[in-house]
Amino acid sequence: MKMKRFGSLALGTFLVCLLAAATPATAQDSGGSAVQERALGANVMLTLTTGEVKEGPRRSYKIVTRSGEAASLLVGWRTPIPTVRSGDADSGEPVTSYVYQNVGMTARLRPILLPDGRLRVDGEVEISGSKKSEAAETPDEMPAIGTFQQKLDVILEKGQPLRVAEVPDPEGGQLYLELEAHLLD
């Protein structure tokens, strides 16, 4: 008889543990924190701003995603880069083909709403520009592609920009990248 009660007690305990594990953490929290409840579906607007450290032109890129989900943004051009393969079988002349490279701004970012209301953002940003090589004499010669790449994992205060990079511009001056996040209701 004792063994049967022990088995029932063990089975009951197992089922309670199984149900507790399957229940989302926000439902288990008796405090019912609004931040935790919104964390699963909160829309977040991320703003990336680039510009010159000294007063100069600025560019801003905005992207919206849900907290915890990665968002990707590609803005720019597909630039043809000429390459030469072996010569044509009949004439022996070189054959030019092209490889296309993204030139502009590419970002893949994932915001995560933290329990204290701040936002953690991790991801990668790449900004590139095409410039014709000074040695280029014909349209088929290779362009120079300047690139800035950054992997980041930062904590942001809502609505406050954070300068995540400041780098020298190859053509002179200093460039920066700022990141800002806002929760959307």
Side-chain angles (χ1 to χ4, degrees), residues 3 31 43 63-64 79 83 85 87 99 103 106 117 131 147-148 154 160 170 179:
M3 188 62 133
N43 287 323
I63 186 169
V64 175
T79 301
T83 61
R85 296 184 294 176
V99 173
V103 175
T106 304
K131 176 182 162 187
T147 301
F148 162 83
V154 295
Q160 295 182 15
L179 186 58

PDB file of all heavy atoms in Angstrom, residues 3 31 43 63-64 79 83 85 87 99 103 106 117 131 147-148 154 160 170 179:
ATOM      1  N   MET A   3       3.873   1.541  -1.145  1.00  0.00           N
ATOM      2  CA  MET A   3       4.527   1.643  -2.442  1.00  0.00           C
ATOM      3  C   MET A   3       3.600   2.276  -3.480  1.00  0.00           C
ATOM      4  O   MET A   3       4.027   3.066  -4.300  1.00  0.00           O
ATOM      5  CB  MET A   3       4.974   0.249  -2.896  1.00  0.00           C
ATOM      6  CG  MET A   3       5.829   0.295  -4.127  1.00  0.00           C
ATOM      7  SD  MET A   3       7.311   1.217  -3.771  1.00  0.00           S
ATOM      8  CE  MET A   3       8.495   0.145  -4.453  1.00  0.00           C
ATOM      9  N   GLY A  31       4.702  38.303 -10.175  1.00  0.00           N
ATOM     10  CA  GLY A  31       4.786  39.760 -10.217  1.00  0.00           C
ATOM     11  C   GLY A  31       4.161  40.334 -11.481  1.00  0.00           C
ATOM     12  O   GLY A  31       3.721  41.468 -11.502  1.00  0.00           O
ATOM     13  N   ASN A  43       7.777  45.522 -30.520  1.00  0.00           N
ATOM     14  CA  ASN A  43       8.426  46.029 -31.725  1.00  0.00           C
ATOM     15  C   ASN A  43       9.473  47.048 -31.312  1.00  0.00           C
ATOM     16  O   ASN A  43       9.229  47.895 -30.451  1.00  0.00           O
ATOM     17  CB  ASN A  43       7.414  46.680 -32.663  1.00  0.00           C
ATOM     18  CG  ASN A  43       6.550  45.660 -33.348  1.00  0.00           C
ATOM     19  OD1 ASN A  43       7.007  44.580 -33.714  1.00  0.00           O
ATOM     20  ND2 ASN A  43       5.288  45.979 -33.535  1.00  0.00           N
ATOM     21  N   ILE A  63      15.089  50.659 -39.041  1.00  0.00           N
ATOM     22  CA  ILE A  63      14.580  49.319 -39.282  1.00  0.00           C
ATOM     23  C   ILE A  63      13.786  48.891 -38.050  1.00  0.00           C
ATOM     24  O   ILE A  63      14.171  49.209 -36.926  1.00  0.00           O
ATOM     25  CB  ILE A  63      15.736  48.340 -39.592  1.00  0.00           C
ATOM     26  CG1 ILE A  63      15.213  46.976 -39.980  1.00  0.00           C
ATOM     27  CG2 ILE A  63      16.714  48.262 -38.458  1.00  0.00           C
ATOM     28  CD1 ILE A  63      16.292  46.054 -40.540  1.00  0.00           C
ATOM     29  N   VAL A  64      12.667  48.203 -38.258  1.00  0.00           N
ATOM     30  CA  VAL A  64      11.821  47.759 -37.150  1.00  0.00           C
ATOM     31  C   VAL A  64      11.796  46.235 -37.144  1.00  0.00           C
ATOM     32  O   VAL A  64      11.669  45.594 -38.183  1.00  0.00           O
ATOM     33  CB  VAL A  64      10.376  48.300 -37.290  1.00  0.00           C
ATOM     34  CG1 VAL A  64       9.478  47.734 -36.199  1.00  0.00           C
ATOM     35  CG2 VAL A  64      10.381  49.820 -37.237  1.00  0.00           C
ATOM     36  N   THR A  79      27.495  46.519 -57.473  1.00  0.00           N
ATOM     37  CA  THR A  79      28.521  47.095 -58.333  1.00  0.00           C
ATOM     38  C   THR A  79      29.238  46.000 -59.117  1.00  0.00           C
ATOM     39  O   THR A  79      29.740  45.048 -58.515  1.00  0.00           O
ATOM     40  CB  THR A  79      29.544  47.879 -57.477  1.00  0.00           C
ATOM     41  OG1 THR A  79      28.834  48.899 -56.775  1.00  0.00           O
ATOM     42  CG2 THR A  79      30.621  48.503 -58.335  1.00  0.00           C
ATOM     43  N   THR A  83      36.269  40.922 -64.177  1.00  0.00           N
ATOM     44  CA  THR A  83      37.302  39.892 -64.012  1.00  0.00           C
ATOM     45  C   THR A  83      37.591  39.339 -65.395  1.00  0.00           C
ATOM     46  O   THR A  83      36.777  39.442 -66.311  1.00  0.00           O
ATOM     47  CB  THR A  83      36.839  38.752 -63.092  1.00  0.00           C
ATOM     48  OG1 THR A  83      35.691  38.143 -63.668  1.00  0.00           O
ATOM     49  CG2 THR A  83      36.515  39.260 -61.701  1.00  0.00           C
ATOM     50  N   ARG A  85      38.639  35.958 -67.611  1.00  0.00           N
ATOM     51  CA  ARG A  85      38.819  34.510 -67.654  1.00  0.00           C
ATOM     52  C   ARG A  85      39.817  34.196 -68.755  1.00  0.00           C
ATOM     53  O   ARG A  85      40.323  35.086 -69.419  1.00  0.00           O
ATOM     54  CB  ARG A  85      37.494  33.815 -67.959  1.00  0.00           C
ATOM     55  CG  ARG A  85      36.453  34.023 -66.897  1.00  0.00           C
ATOM     56  CD  ARG A  85      35.227  33.238 -67.207  1.00  0.00           C
ATOM     57  NE  ARG A  85      34.605  33.770 -68.430  1.00  0.00           N
ATOM     58  CZ  ARG A  85      33.549  33.261 -69.016  1.00  0.00           C
ATOM     59  NH1 ARG A  85      32.993  32.194 -68.535  1.00  0.00           N
ATOM     60  NH2 ARG A  85      33.041  33.798 -70.094  1.00  0.00           N
ATOM     61  N   GLY A  87      41.187  33.039 -72.388  1.00  0.00           N
ATOM     62  CA  GLY A  87      40.797  33.555 -73.685  1.00  0.00           C
ATOM     63  C   GLY A  87      39.703  32.747 -74.354  1.00  0.00           C
ATOM     64  O   GLY A  87      39.472  31.580 -74.033  1.00  0.00           O
ATOM     65  N   VAL A  99      31.756  40.139 -61.590  1.00  0.00           N
ATOM     66  CA  VAL A  99      31.279  39.674 -60.290  1.00  0.00           C
ATOM     67  C   VAL A  99      30.634  40.899 -59.650  1.00  0.00           C
ATOM     68  O   VAL A  99      31.204  41.989 -59.686  1.00  0.00           O
ATOM     69  CB  VAL A  99      32.444  39.159 -59.415  1.00  0.00           C
ATOM     70  CG1 VAL A  99      31.972  38.839 -58.026  1.00  0.00           C
ATOM     71  CG2 VAL A  99      33.115  37.975 -60.065  1.00  0.00           C
ATOM     72  N   VAL A 103      27.516  47.295 -52.526  1.00  0.00           N
ATOM     73  CA  VAL A 103      28.211  48.498 -52.075  1.00  0.00           C
ATOM     74  C   VAL A 103      27.148  49.413 -51.481  1.00  0.00           C
ATOM     75  O   VAL A 103      26.161  49.736 -52.127  1.00  0.00           O
ATOM     76  CB  VAL A 103      28.949  49.194 -53.235  1.00  0.00           C
ATOM     77  CG1 VAL A 103      29.561  50.507 -52.768  1.00  0.00           C
ATOM     78  CG2 VAL A 103      30.015  48.278 -53.805  1.00  0.00           C
ATOM     79  N   THR A 106      24.926  47.485 -45.133  1.00  0.00           N
ATOM     80  CA  THR A 106      24.289  46.216 -44.813  1.00  0.00           C
ATOM     81  C   THR A 106      24.315  46.057 -43.301  1.00  0.00           C
ATOM     82  O   THR A 106      25.360  46.238 -42.679  1.00  0.00           O
ATOM     83  CB  THR A 106      25.041  45.030 -45.456  1.00  0.00           C
ATOM     84  OG1 THR A 106      25.121  45.240 -46.858  1.00  0.00           O
ATOM     85  CG2 THR A 106      24.348  43.716 -45.173  1.00  0.00           C
ATOM     86  N   GLY A 117      14.274  47.085 -18.838  1.00  0.00           N
ATOM     87  CA  GLY A 117      13.778  48.025 -19.834  1.00  0.00           C
ATOM     88  C   GLY A 117      14.819  48.481 -20.843  1.00  0.00           C
ATOM     89  O   GLY A 117      14.484  49.114 -21.832  1.00  0.00           O
ATOM     90  N   LYS A 131      34.961  53.447 -55.346  1.00  0.00           N
ATOM     91  CA  LYS A 131      35.684  54.591 -55.878  1.00  0.00           C
ATOM     92  C   LYS A 131      36.544  54.073 -57.016  1.00  0.00           C
ATOM     93  O   LYS A 131      37.246  53.072 -56.864  1.00  0.00           O
ATOM     94  CB  LYS A 131      36.549  55.202 -54.782  1.00  0.00           C
ATOM     95  CG  LYS A 131      37.426  56.330 -55.228  1.00  0.00           C
ATOM     96  CD  LYS A 131      38.270  56.824 -54.075  1.00  0.00           C
ATOM     97  CE  LYS A 131      39.427  57.630 -54.591  1.00  0.00           C
ATOM     98  NZ  LYS A 131      40.341  57.990 -53.544  1.00  0.00           N
ATOM     99  N   THR A 147      35.730  49.634 -47.209  1.00  0.00           N
ATOM    100  CA  THR A 147      34.762  48.932 -46.365  1.00  0.00           C
ATOM    101  C   THR A 147      35.026  49.174 -44.886  1.00  0.00           C
ATOM    102  O   THR A 147      36.167  49.191 -44.442  1.00  0.00           O
ATOM    103  CB  THR A 147      34.819  47.405 -46.632  1.00  0.00           C
ATOM    104  OG1 THR A 147      34.542  47.170 -48.001  1.00  0.00           O
ATOM    105  CG2 THR A 147      33.820  46.654 -45.800  1.00  0.00           C
ATOM    106  N   PHE A 148      33.932  49.359 -44.145  1.00  0.00           N
ATOM    107  CA  PHE A 148      33.945  49.408 -42.678  1.00  0.00           C
ATOM    108  C   PHE A 148      33.059  48.258 -42.215  1.00  0.00           C
ATOM    109  O   PHE A 148      31.921  48.136 -42.664  1.00  0.00           O
ATOM    110  CB  PHE A 148      33.369  50.745 -42.186  1.00  0.00           C
ATOM    111  CG  PHE A 148      32.946  50.740 -40.748  1.00  0.00           C
ATOM    112  CD1 PHE A 148      33.867  50.946 -39.736  1.00  0.00           C
ATOM    113  CD2 PHE A 148      31.625  50.490 -40.393  1.00  0.00           C
ATOM    114  CE1 PHE A 148      33.469  50.931 -38.407  1.00  0.00           C
ATOM    115  CE2 PHE A 148      31.224  50.471 -39.069  1.00  0.00           C
ATOM    116  CZ  PHE A 148      32.155  50.685 -38.073  1.00  0.00           C
ATOM    117  N   VAL A 154      25.952  45.378 -27.648  1.00  0.00           N
ATOM    118  CA  VAL A 154      25.918  46.527 -26.749  1.00  0.00           C
ATOM    119  C   VAL A 154      24.585  46.606 -26.017  1.00  0.00           C
ATOM    120  O   VAL A 154      23.600  46.028 -26.441  1.00  0.00           O
ATOM    121  CB  VAL A 154      26.159  47.855 -27.509  1.00  0.00           C
ATOM    122  CG1 VAL A 154      27.557  47.890 -28.101  1.00  0.00           C
ATOM    123  CG2 VAL A 154      25.123  48.073 -28.593  1.00  0.00           C
ATOM    124  N   GLN A 160      18.335  56.761 -26.305  1.00  0.00           N
ATOM    125  CA  GLN A 160      19.603  57.470 -26.184  1.00  0.00           C
ATOM    126  C   GLN A 160      20.603  56.887 -27.176  1.00  0.00           C
ATOM    127  O   GLN A 160      20.919  55.698 -27.113  1.00  0.00           O
ATOM    128  CB  GLN A 160      20.150  57.364 -24.760  1.00  0.00           C
ATOM    129  CG  GLN A 160      19.295  58.054 -23.742  1.00  0.00           C
ATOM    130  CD  GLN A 160      19.889  57.969 -22.352  1.00  0.00           C
ATOM    131  OE1 GLN A 160      21.049  57.643 -22.161  1.00  0.00           O
ATOM    132  NE2 GLN A 160      19.076  58.265 -21.351  1.00  0.00           N
ATOM    133  N   PRO A 170      39.440  57.287 -45.006  1.00  0.00           N
ATOM    134  CA  PRO A 170      40.624  57.213 -45.855  1.00  0.00           C
ATOM    135  C   PRO A 170      40.870  58.494 -46.657  1.00  0.00           C
ATOM    136  O   PRO A 170      41.988  58.781 -47.047  1.00  0.00           O
ATOM    137  CB  PRO A 170      40.337  56.035 -46.801  1.00  0.00           C
ATOM    138  CG  PRO A 170      39.307  55.222 -46.101  1.00  0.00           C
ATOM    139  CD  PRO A 170      38.516  56.181 -45.261  1.00  0.00           C
ATOM    140  N   LEU A 179      24.103  54.091 -32.830  1.00  0.00           N
ATOM    141  CA  LEU A 179      22.982  53.177 -32.798  1.00  0.00           C
ATOM    142  C   LEU A 179      22.010  53.653 -31.723  1.00  0.00           C
ATOM    143  O   LEU A 179      22.431  54.059 -30.634  1.00  0.00           O
ATOM    144  CB  LEU A 179      23.486  51.779 -32.459  1.00  0.00           C
ATOM    145  CG  LEU A 179      22.522  50.618 -32.508  1.00  0.00           C
ATOM    146  CD1 LEU A 179      21.896  50.473 -33.871  1.00  0.00           C
ATOM    147  CD2 LEU A 179      23.261  49.321 -32.156  1.00  0.00           C
TER     148      LEU A 179
END
